[in-house]
Amino acid sequence: MFLETICILHGEIQNMQCHEERMQQTAAHFGFNAPKLPDLPTLLPDKLQDTKVKCRIIYHKAIQEVSFESYLLNKITSLKLIEASVDYSFKFADRRHLNALLAQKGDCDGILITRNGLITDTSYSNVVFSKGEQYFTPESPLLNGTKRQKLLREGVIAERIIHRNTLPEYDCIYLINAMLDIDDGISLPVCNIV
């Protein structure tokens, strides 16, 4: 089973093109046709119409489950570097491997996963590093997220090889995913990565 997480803001689906493209790429890779998404705004409960909503879609050859929940930002003040060779190049519904890595966070709020010393992602987001007025994202993420794709297409961020040893060259790390943008302020100083 595969997972698609879609942001619905005040009743409007955000970044739909990237989500549909990812579903089609996933389906093509695994040899099936991507299911058509239902009309999500019409399924949205009235009480969630004027909020930021996290829509989770579980699918394979057909849509298995659609759920909605009001989205709340989590405060992240520290990340622990974890070296791992986990493969999450497709957005699987089964996140056991990522959850096992997250269990190693200790006193930190989250983890930042490295592969052969290269920065990839956190357990639930892509990352962007600021260096002055420039923004960079690791060249080899665990998952090529939809927000990451959008920001790359718009020229807001650029890809770069980022090694754990080069982290001091950057100012801040921002967490981005379908629900989070750079402007949402989910960031922390690089010195808070341990």
Side-chain angles (χ1 to χ4, degrees):
M1 292 293 178
F2 302 95
L3 169 66
E4 202 61 33
T5 303
I6 299 174
C7 179
I8 302 176
L9 187 59
H10 303 296
E12 291 190 25
I13 298 173
Q14 305 297 299
N15 203 14
M16 189 61 169
Q17 179 184 346
C18 287
H19 289 290
E20 289 175 334
E21 286 172 4
R22 181 164 63 191
M23 289 178 70
Q24 290 164 1
Q25 290 164 359
T26 298
H29 180 83
F30 289 96
F32 64 94
N33 292 321
K36 185 174 179 356
L37 287 173
D39 186 2
L40 297 174
T42 63
L43 299 176
L44 190 64
D46 288 341
K47 66 181 181 179
L48 297 177
Q49 289 290 336
D50 295 323
T51 63
K52 188 175 196 178
V53 175
K54 180 178 183 177
C55 174
R56 295 184 76 234
I57 297 170
I58 307 289
Y59 72 97
H60 192 262
K61 293 177 181 174
I63 302 293
Q64 303 295 315
E65 180 184 327
V66 177
S67 63
F68 302 95
E69 66 182 71
S70 185
Y71 185 73
L72 301 172
L73 292 174
N74 288 329
K75 186 155 178 67
I76 302 289
T77 60
S78 60
L79 293 170
K80 181 177 181 181
L81 286 169
I82 301 284
E83 177 69 25
S85 59
V86 64
D87 178 20
Y88 197 67
S89 48
F90 295 93
K91 196 167 173 74
F92 296 104
D94 182 353
R95 295 177 44 89
R96 279 180 288 186
H97 297 311
L98 292 175
N99 291 338
L101 293 175
L102 183 59
Q104 301 175 42
K105 69 183 176 128
D107 293 334
C108 293
D109 296 319
I111 60 170
L112 180 58
I113 302 164
T114 62
R115 190 168 36 208
N116 300 319
L118 297 176
I119 303 296
T120 62
D121 293 327
T122 73
S123 61
Y124 68 94
S125 70
N126 292 128
V127 294
V128 172
F129 291 89
S130 63
K131 189 173 188 175
E133 297 297 314
Q134 296 178 303
Y135 295 97
F136 301 100
T137 191
E139 195 173 84
S140 300
L142 293 180
L143 178 72
N144 186 14
T146 56
K147 180 69 69 172
R148 181 181 184 275
Q149 292 172 35
K150 180 179 184 288
L151 294 175
L152 283 167
R153 285 180 186 166
E154 293 171 351
V156 174
I157 62 175
E159 290 183 317
R160 175 180 272 190
I161 294 172
I162 303 174
H163 192 277
R164 66 185 297 153
N165 295 338
T166 63
L167 287 178
E169 297 176 12
Y170 300 93
D171 307 317
C172 288
I173 179 172
Y174 295 82
L175 309 187
I176 61 167
N177 60 27
M179 303 303 298
L180 297 172
D181 205 334
I182 292 173
D183 297 336
D184 290 329
I186 301 300
S187 66
L188 57 146
V190 168
C191 63
N192 287 13
I193 301 171
V194 296

